């Protein structure tokens, strides 16, 4: 090829280097330079005649080695950035948030590295094949000499007049400066993002309440062993809950029998229809203790009768109460009208049919509503009367006495056996919210005072499904429910602080902490042999929440929640709800909660040895 031909078109290889002549020059990747920008080729020819190449132009003697070196540098850069972004902090062993994020990042980085390796291998093979083809047509044997080791490769980015990696670094001073500047910036940013310290009491309360940081690790040193916890569980929990699963099955079958009798009685009445019941609460979720299994909670969903529909009107959750009202309206049963909307069906809008719809709607409004909204007290009283009539139909099947204690928010059933044993069942009515497992129920928490038309929002069915899925996919003989049972049993053994009428820390708080940890830790970490470690994690999680006065609701605003749990779409992107918000507003309640937690830690350290009275 002559000099004129070189000026006409200059072909550039894949790695951006000239493929001819003893000198080396750098241009764009895989491009053919036209005449109007071939001035650089003339400079290259001049450099070849003089035998010198500028220091800012690196000398790549082999394309595959250059790409290999660049890949090594890229991998080192990724490794450095991983260490910078995720340094291992002191006492990070118990930082569950960092642990979960690190595992997710590690998995994502592994996938990206695998893709980069595959892409690098493909590009390397393509470059080698192209180089061999070009060398074959040009008759170039330099590649063979390199393969046979007849030429000294040296540092792949070595330029003339510079030796080794130092010369390459000086030749790329701009890139090295940017890299160092970026590292310094990241290190400074990490130092500024320190974890805030949370005090358990404000400066104004220090004189009244002296609180030790509940998340300190000094109490973990003398934590009981797995054998001691197993012994306590056997005497205080296992003997009490031995027949719990059989009792739950009987309770559900008995309530189903009563509901079926109610359907027979109300077949021709314009009243809400009862659906199949669902067992909720500690007993049916298999984490109940002696105190938690004294009553059985059953959710009974209700649906409107034909010709009537329930419209749920939710209250603003920012007001502090998650509840809603149930508006009762008339509804035409014509499917054609539902589809077309503004078209009236002459058959179903006959005078007699319209009168029937009006009569059905007015019957419910008069009997069960206040205004146009479903009244909790009236609906529960109607349901209670239905249960009494249904018992008269099925009483001959059972060998116990049934009584219905008075209640305004739930239908209570008491089953008295001849042996003196009794069972207490609470039937809670619920209206389903959309196509989810969230219900507006008749029974409100003890601390909430609602009107008769306010139906509190319940997530018990969603939590029941989550724990059921955990039990299905977790390894056999896991300890997550056992941890909760041990904690609640120890809590039941302690007395309330002086002057307290009821405990601040409820079983729902401990259950929420457990469910959060089930999402953050792999299910394989809940094996039977790790009982002591997981019990420490639950106590640490709740203790940290007390210090921060923050315990997020498990379902609202939880981005880690599996998609298999049917909840309203707005819940996943909503702001998290703080279950300890009342501790922020009430310092005395917070000090009582911290005292209860410290008493619980004392109970854990000094496990009682004698079994409970009546445990056998």
């Amino acid at each position: 090829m002559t000099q004129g031909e070189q000026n006409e078109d200059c072909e550039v290889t894949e790695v951006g280097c000239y493929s001819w002549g003893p000198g080396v020059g750098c241009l764009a990747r895989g491009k053919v330079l036209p005449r109007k920008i071939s001035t650089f080729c003339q400079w290259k020819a001049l450099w070849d005649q003089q035998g010198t190449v500028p220091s800012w132009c690196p000398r790549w003697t082999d394309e595959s080695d250059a790409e290999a070196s660049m890949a090594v540098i890229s991998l080192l850069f990724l490794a450095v950035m991983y260490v910078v972004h995720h340094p291992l902090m002191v006492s990070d062993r118990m930082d569950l948030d960092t642990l979960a994020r690190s595992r997710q990042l590690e998995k994502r980085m592994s996938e990206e590295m695998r893709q980069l390796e595959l892409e690098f291998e493909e590009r390397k093979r393509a470059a080698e094949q192209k180089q061999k083809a070009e060398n074959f047509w040009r008759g170039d044997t330099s590649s063979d000499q390199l393969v046979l080791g007849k030429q000294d490769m040296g540092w792949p980015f070595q330029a003339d007049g510079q030796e080794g990696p130092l010369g390459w670094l000086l030749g790329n001073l701009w890139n090295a400066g940017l890299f160092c500047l970026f590292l310094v910036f990241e290190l400074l940013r990490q130092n500024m993002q320190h974890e805030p310290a949370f005090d358990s009491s404000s400066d104004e309360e220090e004189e009244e309440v002296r609180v030790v940081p509940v998340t300190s690790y000094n109490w973990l040193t003398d934590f009981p062993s797995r054998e001691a916890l197993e012994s306590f569980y056997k005497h205080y929990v296992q003997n009490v809950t031995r027949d719990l699963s059989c009792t739950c099955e009987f309770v559900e079958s008995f309530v189903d029998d009563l509901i079926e009798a109610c359907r027979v009685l109300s077949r021709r009445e314009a009243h809400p229809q009862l659906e199949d019941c669902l067992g909720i609460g500690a007993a049916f979720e298999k984490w109940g203790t002696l105190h938690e299994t004294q009553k059985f909670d059953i959710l009974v969903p209700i649906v409107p009768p034909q010709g009537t529909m329930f419209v749920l009107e939710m209250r603003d959750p920012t007001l502090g109460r998650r509840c809603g009202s149930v508006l009762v309206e008339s509804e035409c049963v014509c499917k054609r009208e539902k589809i077309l909307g503004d078209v009236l069906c002459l058959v179903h809008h006959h005078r007699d049919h319209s009168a029937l719809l009006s009569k059905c709607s007015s019957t419910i409004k008069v009997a069960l509503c206040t205004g146009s909204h479903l009244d909790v007290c009236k609906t529960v009283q109607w349901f209670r009367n239905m249960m009494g009539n249904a018992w008269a139909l099925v009483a001959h099947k059972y060998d116990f006495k049934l009584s219905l204690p008075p209640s305004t928010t739930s239908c209570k059933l008491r089953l008295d056996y001849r042996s003196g044993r009794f069972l207490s069942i609470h039937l809670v009515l619920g209206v389903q919210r959309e196509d989810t497992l969230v219900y507006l129920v008749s029974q409100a928490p003890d601390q909430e005072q609602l009107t008769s038309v306010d139906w509190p929002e319940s997530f018990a069915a969603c939590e029941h499904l989550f724990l059921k899925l955990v039990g299905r996919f977790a390894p056999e003989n896991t300890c997550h429910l056992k941890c909760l049972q041990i904690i609640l049993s120890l809590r039941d053994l302690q007395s309330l602080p002086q002057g307290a009428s009821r405990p601040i820390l409820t079983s729902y708080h401990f259950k929420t902490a457990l469910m959060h940890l089930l999402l953050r830790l792999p299910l394989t970490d809940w094996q039977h042999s790790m009982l002591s470690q997981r019990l420490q994690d639950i106590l640490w999680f709740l203790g940290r929440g007390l210090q921060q006065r923050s315990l997020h609701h498990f379902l609202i605003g939880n981005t880690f929640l599996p998609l298999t749990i049917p909840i309203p779409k707005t819940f996943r992107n909503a702001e998290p709800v703080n279950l300890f918000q009342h501790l922020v507003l009430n310092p005395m309640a917070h000090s009582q909660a911290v005292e209860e937690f410290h008493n619980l830690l004392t109970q854990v350290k000094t496990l009682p040895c004698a079994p409970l009275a009546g445990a056998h």
Side-chain angles (χ1 to χ4, degrees):
M1 181 180 294
T2 64
Q3 185 67 29
E5 293 174 344
Q6 294 174 7
N7 292 335
E8 287 291 330
D9 289 308
C10 297
E11 185 177 358
V12 185
T13 62
E14 177 66 21
V15 295
C17 302
Y18 286 108
S19 59
W20 44 265
V24 179
C26 299
L27 290 176
R29 300 172 63 93
K31 302 294 182 179
V32 177
L33 299 181
R35 180 187 301 272
K36 60 182 180 179
I37 59 172
S38 62
T39 306
F40 193 84
C41 300
Q42 299 175 3
W43 280 104
K44 188 267 171 189
L46 179 60
W47 294 336
D48 289 344
Q49 293 176 4
Q50 297 177 357
T52 60
V53 180
S55 60
W56 51 266
C57 186
R59 187 184 187 117
W60 293 350
T61 55
D62 186 79
E63 298 174 359
S64 60
D65 292 333
E67 288 198 1
S69 301
M70 289 298 294
V72 171
I73 294 175
S74 301
L75 293 178
L76 292 176
F77 176 79
L78 291 177
V80 172
M81 295 312 301
Y82 179 81
V83 174
V84 170
H85 281 283
H86 299 276
L88 185 60
M89 301 298 182
V90 179
S91 301
D92 193 60
R93 178 180 66 86
M94 297 298 292
D95 193 345
L96 301 175
D97 296 338
T98 304
L99 180 62
R101 290 195 301 267
S102 299
R103 287 174 175 170
Q104 293 179 358
L105 180 61
E106 180 182 0
K107 183 177 180 181
R108 185 168 66 253
M109 290 288 291
S110 301
E111 295 294 334
E112 293 178 358
M113 288 296 297
R114 190 178 298 109
Q115 294 179 0
L116 288 175
E117 290 176 358
L118 294 176
E119 182 181 357
F120 171 74
E121 293 295 336
E122 293 178 358
R123 294 184 59 186
K124 182 178 179 180
R125 286 195 297 267
E128 290 178 352
Q129 294 176 358
K130 184 176 181 180
Q131 182 67 25
K132 289 180 180 179
E134 292 176 354
N135 293 340
F136 176 78
W137 289 108
R138 296 191 182 105
D140 188 6
T141 59
S142 59
S143 61
D144 298 336
Q145 294 176 355
L146 292 175
V147 172
L148 295 176
K150 296 182 179 179
Q151 293 186 2
D152 186 13
M153 290 295 298
W155 180 252
F157 301 101
Q158 182 176 350
D160 290 350
Q162 299 173 352
E163 298 180 357
L166 181 60
W168 173 82
L169 183 61
L170 294 176
N172 295 268
L173 197 57
W174 173 253
N175 294 333
L178 287 178
F179 179 74
C180 294
L181 183 63
F182 183 75
L183 285 180
V184 172
F185 173 76
E186 287 297 325
L187 290 174
L188 292 176
R189 186 177 64 86
Q190 291 291 339
N191 292 333
M192 289 187 295
Q193 290 182 349
H194 59 84
E195 183 179 359
F198 294 89
D199 297 330
S200 56
S201 62
S202 60
D203 296 338
E204 298 177 355
E205 305 162 18
E206 284 187 353
E207 298 181 357
E208 299 179 3
V209 183
R210 299 180 61 185
V211 180
V212 180
V214 291
T215 57
S216 61
Y217 295 96
N218 54 357
W219 56 273
L220 297 178
T221 55
D222 53 351
F223 202 83
S225 62
R226 182 178 66 86
E227 291 75 13
L229 294 174
E230 287 287 352
S231 177
F232 174 83
Y233 177 82
K234 180 178 179 181
H235 289 93
Y236 284 82
V237 180
Q238 190 174 15
N239 293 334
V240 176
T241 61
R242 181 183 294 111
D243 301 329
L244 183 59
S245 58
C246 297
T247 306
C248 291
E249 292 180 3
F250 164 74
V251 169
E252 280 192 306
S253 63
F254 172 65
V255 175
D256 281 333
D257 201 5
L258 290 177
I259 290 177
E260 187 63 31
C262 290
R263 292 169 181 166
V264 174
L265 294 175
S266 62
R267 183 172 299 173
R268 296 184 179 182
E269 297 181 3
H271 287 135
Q273 302 299 313
L274 305 178
E275 294 190 333
D276 294 337
C277 66
L278 173 64
I280 57 177
F284 293 94
E285 293 172 353
K286 301 179 181 180
W287 54 268
T289 60
L290 177 63
H291 175 73
E292 298 290 341
T293 56
Q294 291 180 351
K295 64 183 181 69
F296 298 84
D297 295 330
I298 302 289
L299 176 64
V300 182
I302 59 175
V303 294
Q306 185 179 8
T308 307
M309 64 178 180
F310 291 158
V311 180
L312 303 186
E313 298 177 346
M314 304 304 301
R315 300 285 190 266
D316 188 1
T318 59
L319 300 178
R321 296 178 178 177
R322 301 196 65 89
C323 60
S325 58
V326 182
L327 179 63
V328 180
E329 292 184 347
S330 300
E331 181 186 33
C332 181
V333 296
C334 179
K335 294 182 179 180
R336 179 177 177 84
E337 181 176 351
K338 290 182 179 179
I339 297 175
L340 299 180
D342 57 346
V343 178
L344 299 180
C345 178
L346 298 178
V347 176
H348 289 95
H349 280 76
H350 190 267
R351 180 181 303 174
D352 296 337
H353 181 73
S354 300
L356 181 61
L357 292 178
S358 301
K359 181 180 179 181
C360 177
S361 177
S362 61
T363 301
I364 296 181
K365 290 182 178 180
V366 171
L368 306 179
C369 293
T370 297
S372 298
H373 294 86
L374 202 62
D375 190 282
V376 174
C377 299
K378 294 180 180 179
T379 306
V380 169
Q381 184 61 35
W382 161 81
F383 180 62
R384 185 172 180 271
N385 295 336
M386 291 289 294
M387 285 288 109
N389 297 333
W391 170 246
L393 296 180
V394 299
H396 63 280
K397 300 180 182 180
Y398 302 98
D399 189 18
F400 52 78
K401 179 182 178 182
L402 176 68
S403 58
L404 285 79
S407 176
T408 58
T409 58
S410 65
C411 180
K412 295 182 179 181
L413 306 179
R414 179 184 172 93
L415 282 59
D416 291 285
Y417 292 85
R418 295 180 179 179
S419 61
R421 181 191 177 192
F422 72 93
L423 293 178
S424 180
I425 305 175
H426 291 187
L427 303 180
V428 181
L429 298 177
V431 180
Q432 188 176 12
R433 181 175 176 181
E434 303 171 357
D435 295 329
T436 67
L437 287 181
V438 179
Y439 289 85
L440 297 184
V441 296
S442 58
Q443 187 173 15
D446 297 335
Q447 65 271 20
E448 291 191 7
Q449 300 294 332
L450 303 176
T451 63
S452 61
V453 296
D454 288 332
W455 294 67
E457 205 169 28
S458 173
F459 310 94
C462 298
E463 296 168 354
H464 178 81
L465 176 60
F466 172 75
L467 293 177
K468 187 176 181 180
L469 292 176
V470 170
R472 180 183 303 174
F473 294 105
E476 295 184 0
N477 199 18
T478 54
C479 64
H480 61 285
L481 296 179
K482 186 178 295 185
C483 291
L484 187 59
Q485 288 177 310
I486 291 176
I487 291 175
L488 295 180
S489 297
L490 291 172
R491 187 203 60 173
D492 295 340
L493 293 177
Q494 69 183 24
S495 57
L496 291 176
Q498 185 177 1
S501 58
R502 58 182 179 85
I504 300 297
L505 295 179
T506 64
S507 58
Y508 186 73
H509 294 144
F510 292 97
K511 174 186 172 183
T512 301
L514 171 65
M515 292 189 294
H516 278 295
L517 290 176
L518 286 174
L519 281 184
R520 295 167 184 263
L521 296 177
L523 294 180
T524 54
D525 289 353
W526 295 88
Q527 297 179 359
H528 177 71
S529 59
M530 306 184 72
L531 173 63
S532 180
Q533 291 88 335
R534 298 290 81 83
L535 190 64
Q536 294 178 38
D537 290 341
I538 297 176
L539 293 175
W540 175 85
F541 189 90
L542 191 65
R544 186 187 66 170
L546 281 176
Q547 269 196 322
Q548 301 176 359
R549 308 189 190 196
S550 174
L551 179 63
H552 289 167
H553 195 280
F554 178 68
L555 296 173
I556 303 175
N558 189 353
T559 57
F560 295 97
L561 190 68
L563 297 177
T564 52
I565 307 298
I567 61 175
K569 296 179 180 179
T570 57
F571 280 22
R572 299 187 184 273
N573 300 325
E575 289 293 330
V577 176
N578 185 12
L579 299 181
F580 283 165
Q581 183 63 31
H582 61 290
L583 302 184
V584 178
L585 304 176
N586 190 350
M588 295 302 296
H590 177 255
S591 62
Q592 178 185 338
V594 173
E595 185 177 355
E596 293 176 7
F597 184 78
H598 286 167
N599 294 338
L600 177 62
L601 292 182
T602 304
Q603 289 280 350
V604 173
K605 291 181 181 180
T606 58
L607 289 177
C609 300
L612 285 171
H616 296 280

